Structures are given as C-alpha cells and as structure tokens.
Amino acid sequence: MYSVLIVDDEPLIRDGLKSLIPWSDHGFQVVDTAVDGYDALQKLKKHSIDLMIIDIRMPGMSGIQLIEAIRMTNSNIHFIILSGYADFDYAQKAIRYNVTGYLLKPIDEDELIEILGPLKAKMDKTKEIIQLQSHNLSFHKDNLLNGLLNTEYARENLDVQSKVEQLKLDWKKFTLVLIKERISTKQDANPLNSLKEKFETTFEPQKGMVFSSEHYLGILLKESVKTEESQKNLYETISKTANKVSIITSISEEFSSIYEVKHAFHETKSLLDQQFFYKESSVLKKGSELFIKGNQPTSIEILHNDFPLQDYSEKIYYAIDIANNEALSERILEAAQVMVNLHFTEEEIKKRFIQLVTNLLSKCSVAKPGLQRVITEVTISVVDIQNQPNFQSLVAYINKIFREIIGKLDVGDQTGQIKKLVDFIHRNYHQNLKLETLADLFNYNSAYLGKLFKNYTGNYFNTYLDIVRMENAKALLSQGYKVYQVAEQVGYTNVDYFHNKFKKYIGMSPTTYRKKEKTENAF
C-alpha cells in the first residue's frame, strides 16, 4: 500500500476524500490529514508519505508554497492538486514542480480514480527499479568486502582499488560491527540474509555500509563508537532492527583505512566465535572480560588430561547433602575452572556438565528417595544445558538445578546444622574461628552447640579445629614450606604455639616431620 496525506482547510473535503474513495482497492491508504501547509509539514515528520493531495488555496501557506518547500528536500513524493475554476491558471504553474495531476472542485470520484491507476503503475515500476539497483549495489558491496577480506595485498590490487573508488570508501575513520545469529536453524549460507535489507535501511547511506560475509552480517560505520554510551545506543539500534532474532554482536577498534578491514574482521570474528567464554555483555570488544580465566589453581590434581568427574561429583554432592548453597556454587565454579584449564571447547564443557549433573542426580535419587519427585522434575531440565548461550548462564543454570533440590531438603534439624558447621570449619580453618562467634552465626547457644558438636564429631570444637589444622599443616610441610609459613597458613600467629600443638597431635616437631617426609619421598 502507498501512503496518502490529504491537505485541505475544509473539513468536508478532507473527510469526504478519506471516506468516499475506496483507496485500498487501488493500492493506496490514507494515513493522515492536515488542515494547512504548516500542519502538513509536521505530519511529514511523523509519516513516510508517497502521495499528497493538496488544496491549492489555503490560509497561511498555499499549496504551491507547500510543494515548493517539500521539493527542496524530497523529490520522490507525488502530488495531486485540488483547485477551483478561478485557480486554473495558477494551478498550471505547479507543473514545474513535477505535479502528477490536478482536479477541479467539487471532486469527481471517478476522475481521481482515473489518476490513481496510472500513478500506481508508475510507482510500482519505480519501486522495482530501486529494488533492482539496491540488489546490484548489495552485490557489489559484498563482492568488494569479501575481496578485501580474502585478497593478499589488497591495497596493491587494481581491481579492489577500483571498487573502493566506485563505492567512495575514502572515509576518515572506520569501525566494524559484526553480527551473528545466536542459534541458527536455517540452511542458507548466511542466516542473517533475511535481515540485511532492514539493516541497510537503518544504516545506509548516512551512517555506513552493510555487507554479508560467511555466516556474519557486517556494518562498516563511518563514525566513532568509542564511548560506553555510543556503544549502548548502537546496540539498541541493532537489537531494534533485528527485532525478535536473537543475535550476538562484536565491535572492532577504530581504524583509518578501508584496507585495514581484514584485521578488524578477524578481530571481531574471533570475539564472536569465542563469545561463550566471555562474561555476558551486549557488545563484545577488545578487552572484554572472560567469565573464567585459564590456568588458575584448583584443589584437585588433574590426571591424564581429563576432567575428574567422580571427584567433583563427590565434592558437589557433599555441598548438596549439607544444603550449603555457597559451597555448591564454589564447587561448580571450580569444576568449570578445571575444564577451562584443560582447554575444553564449548561442546566439551556442556558434555562434561551434562555427565556431572546426571551423575549427581543419580546419587541424590538413591540417597534421598523422599525427593524423588523434585529430582524427576529437574532431570527434565538437563537437556537445556545444551541451549545455554554462554558459560556464565550455564554455571548459573546448573546452580539453579541443584538449589531446587536443596530447597526441598529439611535442613532445619540439628544434624543438618552441625554438618554445615563442620563444612564451614574445613573451608575456613585458617581463620580465627571461635565457637561463640559460630554459635551466633548458626543461631545456637554456644554451650549447647558445643555439646551437639561433640556428640556428632566425637571431639570438642577446639580439638576438632586443631586436628583439621594439623592435617593441613602436614600437607604443607610435605610440600616443603617453612614452619613459620605453615603456621601462618593454617591459622596460628605464634610459631611456638603452633610448634607445641603440632608435637602434641602428631608426636614430633614440625621440622622433624618435614625431614622425615623428605627422606621417605626420596625413596
């Protein structure tokens, strides 16, 4: 449908033209009316108009003056003039403004329809030519950009130089934006081809140039997008244009020559290809932060260059068993860290997590038959691990699965609370732990908590804490740490006090123990 604006100061004329003519039968639609020339100019800012029907005599601004004002900036709108007999000579002057036709008042419906038929045919032909030109231009753009991306020494290539000149790509600055569909279900070479025309309408020619390459849609901008605000505005424009299509976007650093686009393309493409590993962000760019950095230490030694599935099944199951959400998150995150250290791909990470979650749900099903219903419900959710768009959402999703199970556990009984306390000691033995402080944390009287703890572990709180510290001290001494370093790392500020404690529980001094371990390890 072609859009129509009716401009006349007489309400009867405006309403009559709008309602009496079967506009849609002839390929037109009246989108608005205006009471004078000034009103018409305001309506032009609001609507995209193809045809205006204008009264030649109106107060303030005549129809001729209105057409003259519009023609200064727009040569595409068509005009039909309405005039009285006395205005016939005046109306003929409008011919120089490329007016399609004029009608004498009172308006004859058939005469207007006779004008609309040929006008629509002419507009259809023009539209077809524009689309064909647009298609050819799109082909040339893609051809040039892919030439720049794939041609060695493109700057010296005469054919590439010629195309650069034809497309007038002598801009002072460039920024490349690369867009990729998050989940592609289509079979064509570039799933974003269906969106290309929309992006061309949004960005060309004022802001830049749109092209296709491989499975990506590129926007070559002729402006700076360095600030957070400008990047936010750009992403909002891109998202609005993409509408409901889920996309991911990366942006290059600014460059000064079109011949540098190859480097910018590989820079932005690499970001998109590795987007799974970055923290959630609207736009990926150089310096974007990884969700988990590689080669960070973990508590379990990696053997045979593979993920220790059983070890982490036990660690995470323990956190679930004592209903400790904090420990659960820490262990899931550490499992993820191990996979990053092993340089797993996105597919390998998702595969291992599916195995890990399945293994844990099986353990929970056997050990906690009372939770069978919730376990069955969350088991259905395992398939969605594969659909998580990035590492951050994947880890959050797995946490959510197990927290649903924890949420159904009866953790208010004394045994559950003591299990949480024991776990807390093992994770924080190096801190200045006191029963009184922990009793407050667990909402117990300290004397009563001490009795519960003794009944559960067989040891008083301070004795149990000392034992945990001594076991960790032994491990550190075996690794060759100095006595004062070990004392500090396991929670003792006084080395002599640590020395006495160690001798009491282990039966020898820390120095003697370290020498003994060194001798035994030598053989």
Side-chain angles (χ1 to χ4, degrees):
M1 292 284 180
Y2 294 107
S3 57
V4 180
L5 177 66
I6 299 171
V7 188
D8 199 301
D9 61 316
E10 298 181 50
L12 289 176
I13 299 293
R14 292 196 306 271
D15 295 340
L17 282 173
K18 184 176 180 180
S19 58
L20 294 177
I21 305 296
W23 294 99
S24 60
D25 292 349
H26 303 284
F28 292 87
Q29 178 185 14
V30 177
V31 295
D32 213 335
T33 60
V35 299
D36 57 36
Y38 297 109
D39 187 28
L41 291 176
Q42 292 301 312
K43 297 295 174 64
L44 271 177
K45 295 177 182 178
K46 182 179 178 182
H47 304 288
S48 176
I49 303 298
D50 299 306
L51 169 63
M52 291 179 67
I53 300 177
I54 303 174
D55 183 13
I56 205 166
R57 283 191 183 276
M58 293 181 293
M61 178 185 288
S62 71
I64 295 296
Q65 290 173 323
L66 174 60
I67 294 171
E68 184 178 16
I70 293 171
R71 278 288 183 251
M72 291 176 68
T73 58
N74 193 316
S75 60
N76 298 320
I77 294 178
H78 295 269
F79 300 103
I80 296 176
I81 287 180
L82 308 179
S83 67
Y85 282 105
D87 300 319
F88 183 74
D89 292 336
Y90 187 42
Q92 284 184 311
K93 296 178 183 178
I95 294 174
R96 69 176 182 269
Y97 294 116
N98 193 25
V99 172
T100 298
Y102 57 87
L103 295 170
L104 296 176
K105 294 181 178 181
I107 306 301
D108 184 297
E109 178 184 331
D110 292 333
E111 288 184 7
L112 178 54
I113 290 173
E114 284 181 9
I115 295 176
L116 293 179
L119 176 59
K120 181 180 182 299
K122 180 181 178 181
M123 294 169 77
D124 286 344
K125 185 66 177 176
T126 302
K127 185 176 181 180
E128 183 181 332
I129 292 170
I130 291 173
Q131 288 177 337
L132 182 62
Q133 290 174 339
S134 176
H135 176 75
N136 290 336
L137 177 60
S138 182
F139 172 78
H140 287 305
K141 288 185 299 182
D142 288 355
N143 187 264
L144 167 61
L145 265 299
N146 283 286
L148 286 165
L149 298 178
N150 298 306
T151 303
E152 289 292 329
Y153 309 109
R155 194 186 294 269
E156 286 79 37
N157 188 292
L158 295 178
D159 183 47
V160 173
Q161 289 178 15
S162 174
K163 291 174 182 176
V164 168
E165 291 174 5
Q166 288 174 17
L167 291 172
K168 299 179 180 179
L169 289 173
D170 54 345
W171 307 342
K172 292 182 179 179
K173 51 192 170 187
F174 300 79
T175 303
L176 177 64
V177 178
L178 214 57
I179 302 168
K180 182 180 180 182
E181 193 169 16
R182 194 177 291 279
I183 300 175
S184 176
T185 57
K186 303 172 186 176
Q187 298 301 315
D188 47 329
N190 187 345
L192 289 170
N193 274 335
S194 59
L195 290 177
K196 188 177 180 184
E197 188 175 337
K198 291 183 179 179
F199 277 97
E200 287 172 337
T201 302
T202 301
F203 288 95
E204 295 181 353
Q206 290 86 0
K207 295 181 179 180
M209 190 176 83
V210 179
F211 67 95
S212 300
S213 182
E214 301 176 25
H215 290 277
Y216 308 91
L217 193 65
I219 306 172
L220 200 58
L221 298 172
K222 57 174 86 171
E223 57 189 32
S224 294
V225 198
K226 292 182 177 180
T227 66
E228 292 291 334
E229 185 66 24
S230 62
Q231 290 171 12
K232 178 184 176 183
N233 293 336
L234 173 64
Y235 180 73
E236 288 176 354
T237 301
I238 290 172
S239 297
K240 185 177 179 181
T241 305
N243 197 6
K244 295 181 181 179
V245 178
S246 179
I247 59 172
I248 47 177
T249 306
S250 64
I251 185 169
S252 75
E253 294 185 291
E254 188 177 303
F255 51 101
S256 58
S257 168
I258 186 61
Y259 294 102
E260 297 174 49
V261 72
K262 184 175 184 178
H263 172 76
F265 181 84
H266 289 300
E267 175 186 310
T268 49
K269 178 179 179 293
S270 177
L271 287 167
L272 289 187
D273 291 346
Q274 294 296 312
Q275 65 85 27
F276 175 81
F277 295 94
Y278 287 94
K279 285 189 174 181
E280 289 184 358
S281 172
S282 56
V283 178
L284 291 172
K285 56 189 175 183
K286 186 176 181 180
S288 288
E289 189 176 355
L290 290 167
F291 174 58
I292 296 177
K293 296 178 181 178
N295 301 319
Q296 299 297 308
T298 57
S299 64
I300 293 180
E301 183 182 0
I302 308 303
L303 301 174
H304 311 299
N305 207 34
D306 198 11
F307 178 69
L309 180 65
Q310 294 305 320
D311 288 337
Y312 278 101
S313 291
E314 291 177 6
K315 288 168 76 77
I316 296 173
Y317 176 77
Y318 180 65
I320 296 170
D321 189 42
I322 64 171
N324 190 322
N325 284 322
E326 181 184 350
L328 171 71
S329 298
E330 289 175 356
R331 281 148 179 75
I332 291 174
L333 199 58
E334 186 178 330
Q337 180 69 64
V338 170
M339 296 182 203
V340 171
N341 289 351
L342 289 168
H343 307 291
F344 280 5
T345 64
E346 175 184 345
E347 291 304 313
E348 288 172 328
I349 288 169
K350 288 179 176 178
K351 177 183 175 182
R352 292 303 194 285
F353 266 122
I354 288 173
Q355 291 173 341
L356 181 61
V357 172
T358 303
N359 193 315
L360 282 162
L361 290 176
S362 178
K363 282 178 176 287
C364 290
S365 181
V366 172
K368 304 179 186 301
L371 298 179
Q372 195 59 52
R373 181 175 178 181
V374 67
I375 292 170
T376 301
E377 289 175 356
V378 298
T379 300
I380 299 171
S381 305
V382 174
V383 67
D384 280 333
I385 290 175
Q386 196 67 45
N387 298 326
Q388 298 307 306
N390 55 57
F391 214 158
Q392 192 170 352
S393 65
L394 174 62
V395 168
Y397 186 75
I398 292 167
N399 266 288
K400 177 176 175 289
I401 288 176
F402 291 121
R403 288 188 181 201
E404 287 186 32
I405 295 174
I406 288 176
K408 299 296 182 181
L409 290 173
D410 181 11
V411 297
D413 63 357
Q414 293 175 349
T415 301
Q417 292 295 315
I418 299 304
K419 283 183 178 180
K420 294 184 76 171
L421 176 55
V422 169
D423 177 72
F424 189 89
I425 292 170
H426 279 272
R427 288 187 292 111
N428 298 278
Y429 61 87
H430 54 287
Q431 302 289 342
N432 183 24
L433 299 184
K434 294 182 179 179
L435 182 62
E436 293 78 10
T437 305
L438 296 177
D440 184 57
L441 182 66
F442 283 85
N443 295 314
Y444 275 97
N445 172 275
S446 60
Y448 183 57
L449 180 61
K451 290 179 181 179
L452 293 176
F453 190 88
K454 173 70 164 57
N455 290 336
Y456 183 80
T457 64
N459 289 298
Y460 291 108
F461 174 83
N462 288 332
T463 301
Y464 189 87
L465 177 59
D466 283 337
I467 291 171
V468 171
R469 286 174 169 175
M470 291 307 112
E471 289 302 313
N472 283 278
K474 285 163 61 178
L476 292 170
L477 289 167
S478 298
Q479 295 171 36
Y481 284 92
K482 296 184 183 299
V483 174
Y484 76 88
Q485 293 175 320
V486 175
E488 183 178 337
Q489 289 190 46
V490 298
Y492 295 100
T493 55
N494 186 302
V495 177
D496 291 335
Y497 184 67
F498 165 68
H499 186 280
N500 292 334
K501 284 281 186 182
F502 192 91
K503 193 169 184 179
K504 173 184 175 182
Y505 285 100
I506 310 303
M508 65 184 78
S509 71
T511 304
T512 303
Y513 181 84
R514 188 175 61 177
K515 289 179 179 178
K516 174 176 169 290
E517 288 294 302
K518 185 176 180 180
T519 303
E520 290 178 356
N521 290 335
F523 294 97

